[in-house]
């Protein structure tokens, strides 16, 4: 008990001595010390890096709505009426007078760009997309996607290959290699 009382008395004396000293007074009307800002979200960092790489190749960023109509999300892309993506278990449809849905890919941005622009077109369409999937440690009902569209005369598969190789090396390092192979899918 004696130790605690003497410690308390000592601290009280120090506080009283400092409060009467003019050199130690704090002006509480001054702004406080600024707090350090946070950091960018990992998705934003990756998004910005991808956009930066493609902008150096002459691509511009195009954006479109996340709530879309059937035409821009499916029909204009030649999705047949019986395509699995059009089913309720794969797509979030919005009830209402118009047939609206949450976009399932960023291809709707390509459609809208082609509707309002004439070639040459060289765009990158990054954005959030939605799929009606069970949420788990591996999957969520939304994710981020990036699509590119390049329409011009004399554009070939070699241009695609070189673009993808440049992107992979810029994104993952100079030693990165890519492999392109054909896969047969009925709906692609």
């Amino acid at each position: 008990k004696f130790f605690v009382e003497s410690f308390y008395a000592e601290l009280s004396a120090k506080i009283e001595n400092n409060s009467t000293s003019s050199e130690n007074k704090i002006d509480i009307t001054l702004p406080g010390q600024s707090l350090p800002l946070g950091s960018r979200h990992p998705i934003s960092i990756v998004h910005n890096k991808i956009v930066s790489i493609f902008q150096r190749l002459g691509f511009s960023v195009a954006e479109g709505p996340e709530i879309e109509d059937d035409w821009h999300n499916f029909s204009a892309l030649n999705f047949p009426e019986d395509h699995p993506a059009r089913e309720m278990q794969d797509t979030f449809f919005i009830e209402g007078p118009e047939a609206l849905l949450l976009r399932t890919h960023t291809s709707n941005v390509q459609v809208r760009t082609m509707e309002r622009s004439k070639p040459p077109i060289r765009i990158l369409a990054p954005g959030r997309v939605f799929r009606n999937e069970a949420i788990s440690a591996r999957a969520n009902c939304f994710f981020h996607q990036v699509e590119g569209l390049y329409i011009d005369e004399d554009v070939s598969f070699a241009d695609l290959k070189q673009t993808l190789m440049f992107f992979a090396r810029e994104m993952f390092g100079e030693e990165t290699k890519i492999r392109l192979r054909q896969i047969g899918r009925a709906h692609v």
Side-chain angles (χ1 to χ4, degrees), residues 125-141:
R128 191 167 45 180
V129 298
F130 306 86
R131 304 273 173 88
N132 193 2
E133 297 181 8
I135 297 173
S136 69
R138 293 184 45 207
N140 203 330
C141 59

Side-chain angles (χ1 to χ4, degrees), residues 45-63:
I45 293 169
V46 172
H47 172 273
N48 293 342
K49 187 171 183 180
I50 291 169
V51 167
S52 171
I53 293 168
F54 279 94
Q55 283 178 330
R56 288 190 313 224
L57 292 171
F59 285 78
S60 60
V61 175
E63 295 180 345

Side-chain angles (χ1 to χ4, degrees), residues 20-130:
T20 58
S21 169
S22 63
E23 64 190 45
N24 291 332
K25 286 197 174 184
I26 298 173
D27 184 354
I28 61 171
T29 63
L30 292 174
Q33 295 177 349
S34 61
L35 297 173
L37 296 176
S39 60
R40 294 213 181 273
H41 191 280
I43 291 174
S44 297
I45 293 169
V46 172
H47 172 273
N48 293 342
K49 187 171 183 180
I50 291 169
V51 167
S52 171
I53 293 168
F54 279 94
Q55 283 178 330
R56 288 190 313 224
L57 292 171
F59 285 78
S60 60
V61 175
E63 295 180 345
E66 291 181 349
I67 297 176
E68 192 56 273
D69 57 42
D70 181 85
W71 168 255
H72 290 98
N73 200 77
F74 295 125
S75 298
L77 297 163
N78 292 326
F79 278 74
E81 289 294 325
D82 61 344
H83 190 279
R86 289 180 180 253
E87 296 177 10
M88 293 294 283
Q89 72 260 19
D90 289 335
T91 302
F92 288 110
F93 290 95
I94 300 169
E95 290 183 20
E98 294 183 61
L100 298 176
L101 54 106
L102 296 179
R103 70 180 179 190
T104 58
H105 43 81
T106 58
S107 300
N108 65 323
V109 177
Q110 296 180 31
V111 173
R112 289 178 178 279
T113 301
M114 289 186 286
E115 286 176 338
R116 71 174 179 271
S117 304
K118 294 198 179 299
I121 296 172
R122 193 186 294 198
I123 63 159
L124 191 66
R128 191 167 45 180
V129 298
F130 306 86

